[in-house]
Each structure stands twice: as C-alpha cells, then as structure tokens.
Amino acid sequence: MKAENDQRAGLLSGFGAYGLWGLVPLFWPLLKPSAPVEILAHRMVWSLAVVGLALLALRRWGWIRELLRRPRKLALTTLAACVITVNWGLYIWAVNNGHVVEASLGYFINPLVSIAIGVLVLGERLRRAQWAAVAISFAAVLVLAIGYGRPPWISLVLAFSFATYGLIKKKLDMGGLESLTAETAVLFLPALGYLLWLGTQGRSTFATEGLGHSALLASTGVVTAIPLVLFGAAAIRVPLSTLGLLQYTAPVFQFGLGVLYFHEAMPPERWAGFSLVWAALALLTWDALRTNRRSRMRLAAAAKAPAAVAAPTREPA
C-alpha cells in the first residue's frame, strides 16, 4: 500500500512539475531587458530564499549534517547544480531569443535520451519498440539538422542536460525540497557575487527598471522552486522511464506556445522532423501501456494462484 501511495504521489508531482514547465515560456519574456545570465543569477539567489523559508517553516534541517558527512553525495549534489544551471541558462536564452519551438524539441527528445541513459548507465534492457523509437528519433534529428542548416544544438543540450539531471537526482535519493535547497546553496555565492558585480558596473536592472520589474525578478525563486520540488519528489518515486513519459506534457505546451503565441516559423522540413519525433513518442507510449497492462495481468494471475491452491476442495457426497 505504501509503495502504491508513493507511486501515486510521484505521478501527481511529475504532472504538476511538467505542466508548470510547459507554461513557463510565458514568464521569461516579462523579465526583459534583463539579460539571460542576470535572470539566471536571480533565479539561483531567490530560489534559495524560497526553499530556505519552506524548510524553516517545516523545521527540516537534519539532512544537512548527513549530507556534509557524505562527500560522494555532496559531489553529486554539486554536479546536479552545475548541470541544471546549464539547462536553466540555455532555456532562458532560447525563449527570450525566439527559439521556443527548438527548446520544446529538446524536451520532446528528452524521454528518448532518458531511455538511452537507462541502457548505458543503469543497465536497463530495451524492448524492440523502444529500439525502433530511438532509431526514429535519430532520423528526426538528421531531418531537423538539414532543415535548420545545423544540428539542433539547443534541443540536444537541453535534452541531454535534463536527462543527466534526472539520473543524478535518482542516485541522490533525496526529497525534492532538500535536494533543491542543497543545489541552490551550491549556486548561491557565485550567483550573488555576479549580481553584486553587475551592480558595481551599473549594469544591473534590478533597481533601475521599477518596482514591478524587481518583483518579477524576485518571483523567479517561486517559479523555479515549485516545479523543481515537484520534479524531485517524482524522481525518487517513479522509474526513470516513467519520468520520460510524464515529460510529454511540458513540450506539448511549449510547442503550442511557440507556434500559436510567439508565431515562430515552421517550414515543412521542421514539421517533418517534429512528426518523426512524435511518431517515436507515440510508439514509446503504446509500448509502455502494453507492457504495463501485461505486468498487471501477470500480478493478478500470480495473486490468484496461491488462493486457488489454498482453497479447500469439497469431497464428493
């Protein structure tokens, strides 16, 4: 029962995280004229303030001493912080420079990258349908590279960085709030130092663009913390492959915003590439649903077998 409750909580947390990430392209343009690096630094600083207040309210501090006593876990936390910084920074830059559709492609590809990491790092074995999906996605990247006239590097970096982050979070096995606090604590001093340096150079927008702009920059902490806490909670409760399936929610919203709201161009070759990616994801979804159904049937059959053996037989009259 506890395992079922944990998995249910993980699924709900995952849906919440990816739904919020799907809508976040609407937020970053509001922070202009701040440059992406300044936005990223504010995101790091204010995120620690938000999660720190949450921990203070919950009185959950005991994990800090344990973390400091385990160098390997602390090193993994630092690595997670560095990887998510790359992901955050590139995503902010992409959205504010008219690449929302290409950024969404990165998160469409991410489930396939998660599967590849599961095979290469965790020793997971792929079924035929999964191999076919990976092959189709590789063809999609080639088509998109031809269409863009270059490899879709924004998509690839976003996909690989976030898949790597998910793997590290799985190995850390920390609560969502605790892991985010540790990661933002690692990033806090460099981010704060950069913001102070911007102020001395007269290049900071925090105090020069009005109170509303300052409030928006401060709210990056909330915008960052809530979905990441939810993601951290999901990462330790559901399999990595399930996280890949949940991620479909975010890129669907992002792609829709890129085409319908930001009016980014979608020439035929991009539609062809995206269609291949969607075909690969549809194949993965079908395979996952079929496998899950078969697993439930086996469990049900296994549960009935002992009951049938234990049931007394009635002797004939």
Side-chain angles (χ1 to χ4, degrees), residues 16-37:
Y18 288 121
L20 291 172
W21 277 322
L23 297 175
V24 82
L26 297 172
F27 178 71
W28 302 125
L30 301 177
L31 302 181
K32 294 179 179 180
S34 297
V37 178

Side-chain angles (χ1 to χ4, degrees), residues 152-171:
W153 66 270
I154 295 174
S155 309
L156 294 174
V157 173
L158 289 174
F160 277 90
S161 61
F162 202 75
T164 303
Y165 179 68
L167 174 64
I168 298 170
K169 297 280 276 192
K170 190 126 186 117
K171 288 185 173 295

Side-chain angles (χ1 to χ4, degrees), residues 83-84 86-87 90 105-107 109-114 116-117 120 138 141 152-168 247:
V83 171
I84 199 60
V86 172
N87 187 273
L90 180 58
L105 175 64
Y107 294 108
I109 295 174
N110 178 254
L112 300 159
V113 176
S114 294
I117 288 179
L120 298 175
F138 182 75
V141 171
W153 66 270
I154 295 174
S155 309
L156 294 174
V157 173
L158 289 174
F160 277 90
S161 61
F162 202 75
T164 303
Y165 179 68
L167 174 64
I168 298 170
Q247 194 214 344

Side-chain angles (χ1 to χ4, degrees), residues 3-317:
E4 291 181 3
N5 290 337
D6 280 348
Q7 188 166 19
R8 187 179 299 110
L11 288 172
L12 291 174
S13 297
F15 277 120
Y18 288 121
L20 291 172
W21 277 322
L23 297 175
V24 82
L26 297 172
F27 178 71
W28 302 125
L30 301 177
L31 302 181
K32 294 179 179 180
S34 297
V37 178
E38 182 181 2
I39 296 172
L40 178 62
H42 275 287
R43 189 176 189 181
M44 296 172 184
V45 169
W46 294 108
S47 294
L48 183 60
V50 171
V51 294
L53 289 173
L55 285 175
L56 185 63
L58 296 172
R59 298 182 180 180
R60 284 159 54 178
W61 302 104
W63 60 272
I64 297 177
R65 184 179 302 172
E66 181 187 354
L67 178 62
L68 294 176
R69 288 176 177 174
R70 299 176 63 179
R72 182 178 179 275
K73 201 165 188 177
L74 188 58
L76 282 175
T77 300
T78 303
L79 181 60
C82 294
V83 171
I84 199 60
T85 298
V86 172
N87 187 273
W88 285 353
L90 180 58
Y91 186 76
I92 293 169
W93 179 88
V95 170
N96 284 358
N97 284 273
H99 298 286
V100 176
V101 170
E102 189 173 353
S104 75
L105 175 64
Y107 294 108
F108 276 122
I109 295 174
N110 178 254
L112 300 159
V113 176
S114 294
I115 288 173
I117 288 179
V119 172
L120 298 175
V121 179
L122 302 180
E124 297 177 358
R125 299 182 64 179
L126 294 188
R127 297 179 292 276
R128 290 182 181 178
Q130 292 174 312
W131 278 116
V134 171
I136 293 171
S137 66
F138 182 75
V141 171
L142 291 179
V143 171
L144 288 165
I146 294 171
Y148 279 108
R150 56 170 175 78
W153 66 270
I154 295 174
S155 309
L156 294 174
V157 173
L158 289 174
F160 277 90
S161 61
F162 202 75
T164 303
Y165 179 68
L167 174 64
I168 298 170
K169 297 280 276 192
K170 190 126 186 117
K171 288 185 173 295
L172 278 171
D173 194 22
M174 292 174 64
L177 185 60
E178 290 83 356
S179 61
L180 178 58
T181 303
E183 292 159 21
T184 50
V186 169
L187 301 170
F188 178 77
L189 288 179
L192 181 61
Y194 177 75
L195 292 176
L196 292 175
W197 177 80
L198 279 182
T200 62
Q201 299 296 309
R203 296 165 54 190
S204 173
T205 63
F206 183 72
T208 60
E209 296 295 324
L211 184 60
H213 184 74
S214 300
L216 283 172
L217 285 173
S219 68
T220 56
V222 176
V223 171
T224 298
I226 292 177
L228 275 176
V229 168
L230 292 172
F231 175 78
I236 63 174
R237 288 177 172 86
V238 298
L240 195 63
S241 56
T242 303
L243 280 181
L245 294 174
L246 288 176
Q247 194 214 344
Y248 298 167
T249 310
V252 166
F253 286 169
Q254 293 166 5
F255 178 81
L257 289 172
V259 174
L260 302 175
Y261 182 81
F262 294 103
H263 305 292
E264 293 185 13
M266 280 294 293
E269 59 272 16
R270 290 186 194 173
W271 279 113
F274 270 86
S275 297
L276 286 172
V277 171
W278 295 333
L281 294 178
L283 182 59
L284 277 182
T285 303
W286 169 79
D287 178 69
L289 293 174
R290 182 187 62 169
T291 303
N292 187 47
R293 185 173 62 252
R294 288 180 176 177
S295 297
R296 290 200 306 268
M297 292 173 64
R298 290 193 193 100
L299 288 174
K304 291 178 180 178
V309 171
T313 56
R314 180 180 297 177
E315 294 184 1

